[in-house]
Amino acid sequence: HALLAPVSLNTQAGLALIVIALIGMPHGALDAYAPVLHGNGGKRAGFMAAYLLAALGVAWLWGAAPLPALLLFLALSLWHFA
């Protein structure tokens, strides 16, 4: 069946990019408003600094230890979306 045919890596990457651009980035963009939504609007700069440090740490971990980084990412995603 045509739907079960192998999909090239380029096609997979393209589809992932589209999904990330349409869903992931808008969802992540709302994270900057988390302190405001939780009544801590004055602490927004600190939140953003911690968020940036966490993102840099994740990028470093992903390069240094991909499998543990993936497992941590999946665990945190389950916690975040559950």
Side-chain angles (χ1 to χ4, degrees):
H1 194 268
L3 289 177
L4 300 177
V7 179
S8 74
L9 187 57
N10 286 340
T11 301
Q12 293 176 44
L15 291 172
L17 183 62
I18 291 169
V19 171
I20 290 167
L22 293 178
I23 298 171
M25 289 175 62
H27 173 81
L30 293 176
D31 290 346
Y33 295 99
V36 175
L37 294 174
H38 294 287
N40 297 323
K43 298 181 181 180
R44 191 170 180 187
F47 173 83
M48 293 306 293
Y51 194 89
L52 178 60
L53 286 173
L56 291 172
V58 167
W60 174 83
L61 182 62
W62 205 278
L67 182 58
L70 175 62
L71 296 175
L72 179 63
F73 170 77
L74 292 174
L76 290 173
S77 294
L78 283 171
W79 172 77
H80 177 71
F81 290 108

